[in-house]
Amino acid sequence: MISVNFQGRSGIVLGVANKRSLAWAIAQQMHQAGASLCFTYQNERLRAKMEPLVEDIGGAPLFQLDVNDDAQVDEVFAAAAAELGGRLDFLVHSIAFAPREELEGDFLDTSREGFRIALEVSAYSLVRTTRAMVPYVPEQGGSVITLTYLASERVVPKYNVMGSAKAALEHSVRQLAAELGPRGIRVNAVSAGPVSTLSARGIGGFTDILAHYREKSPMKRNIEAEEVGKASLFLLSDLASGITGEILHVDAGYNIMAI
Ligand code: NAD
């Protein structure tokens, strides 16, 4: 019988900004399943928000990491593995960013720099951090998860270049899954419905998007961050041992609707 038990397994969680972060919802599930965790924070301001959260789960190593800094990525993954007994069984990648002005006007007006930044932080970072993790994945294999959004597949007004970034991210999931499959490393994504987080509130008309999902989704409600956490736990666990390169929608069914 397979149960979700991460005792003896360890991983690194990227993208906790505060208690509302999807990364935190995932971390809580992983912690409850017995995993040993370490976390990264983008800057000192966010470290102060993280410390009390991490204390609530009995403490965990914290490392500062800006995913644009290649040297720092390698250093942090080496330090994280060292803290966790030399192994990293899983990686939670829950990071995205686009300059605010790119999420306000028309996609047609996307700047060269805005496009570069959005794709670098939100998509390339998955490739780069997965590469940094691979040397520490035990022989039996490991698992990577990232967070995406339906704007990769459909047009979501105002989401603009973040849709381009999510399309690149989802392609990266498939490409990494194909290359790392023989090494026993699975790579998947959860495509989450809207959840009120720090990043989401930066999208113009986010409250209207939440209401639209409540009205149109088959389940007639918004999802909870906890539901993203549970689906991520499943994908990271042995229950999903035959699944890789998958984009799993956790959106109360919204994506199946045409009108
Ligand atoms: P959040 O603001 O809590 O998390 C975003 C994280 O990205 C933050 O921790 C931030 O510090 C980090 N980050 C940004 N730039 C970084 C950099 N250069 N280096 C290191 N870290 C950096 O918001 P969230 O909604 O939890 O977002 C997490 C992921 O979920 C994102 O990929 C987002 O696109 C995705 N997502 C969110 C929703 C939603 O509605 N909230 C829906 C679908 C997908």
Side-chain angles (χ1 to χ4, degrees):
M1 194 177 83
I2 298 176
S3 65
V4 182
N5 182 357
F6 277 86
Q7 293 281 348
R9 286 198 258 173
S10 53
I12 181 165
V13 179
L14 277 48
V16 178
N18 57 37
K19 66 177 183 189
R20 291 173 181 269
S21 295
L22 297 181
W24 182 243
I26 299 167
Q28 284 175 294
Q29 295 293 326
M30 298 304 289
H31 170 69
Q32 281 165 28
S36 299
L37 300 174
C38 71
F39 295 87
T40 67
Y41 57 92
Q42 190 182 353
N43 53 44
E44 285 305 320
R45 189 177 50 80
L46 294 178
R47 182 188 177 109
K49 298 233 179 232
M50 281 191 74
E51 276 171 349
L53 292 180
V54 169
E55 271 167 34
D56 275 356
I57 61 165
L62 301 180
F63 302 95
Q64 203 234 313
L65 175 62
D66 183 326
V67 291
N68 293 328
D69 183 336
D70 279 327
Q72 200 178 38
V73 170
D74 289 330
E75 278 164 28
V76 165
F77 275 72
E83 286 277 352
L84 296 169
R87 64 190 277 166
L88 291 173
D89 298 85
F90 60 89
L91 161 64
V92 175
H93 173 279
S94 185
I95 285 178
F97 177 76
R100 181 173 276 263
E101 59 275 18
E102 304 295 352
L103 304 176
E104 284 167 351
D106 290 342
F107 179 66
L108 186 64
D109 294 326
T110 304
S111 70
R112 185 179 299 277
E113 186 63 357
F115 194 94
R116 183 190 66 74
I117 292 170
L119 270 84
E120 187 174 342
V121 178
S122 316
Y124 180 69
S125 65
L126 176 72
V127 183
R128 189 63 186 83
T129 55
T130 300
R131 185 157 91 230
M133 175 212 190
V134 168
Y136 307 105
V137 177
E139 241 173 62
Q140 312 88 281
S143 189
V144 176
I145 187 144
T146 187
L147 274 299
T148 186
Y149 180 56
L150 188 65
S152 60
E153 310 164 49
R154 313 266 176 85
V155 175
V156 178
K158 307 267 190 246
Y159 218 77
N160 297 358
V161 71
M162 193 53 87
S164 314
K166 292 303 191 190
L169 179 72
E170 290 177 22
H171 169 265
S172 304
V173 166
R174 290 186 284 273
Q175 186 90 30
L176 291 170
E179 292 180 9
L180 295 174
R183 171 78 170 74
I185 302 174
R186 298 182 298 103
V187 185
N188 291 293
V190 165
S191 183
V195 179
S196 187
T197 62
L198 191 63
S199 300
R201 287 195 296 271
I203 311 272
F206 183 71
T207 316
D208 297 336
I209 295 177
L210 280 174
H212 179 75
Y213 268 69
R214 278 197 299 277
E215 188 192 341
K216 300 290 181 190
S217 66
M219 296 172 78
K220 302 291 176 220
R221 66 169 177 85
N222 292 123
I223 60 151
E224 305 285 340
E226 187 191 359
E227 294 174 307
V228 173
K230 289 189 292 187
S232 301
L233 172 72
F234 160 70
L235 284 175
L236 288 170
S237 78
D238 293 341
L239 290 178
S241 58
I243 300 176
T244 196
E246 190 67 85
I247 313 295
L248 178 64
H249 293 87
V250 179
D251 63 354
Y254 178 86
N255 73 95
I256 67 170
M257 303 303 289
I259 50 171

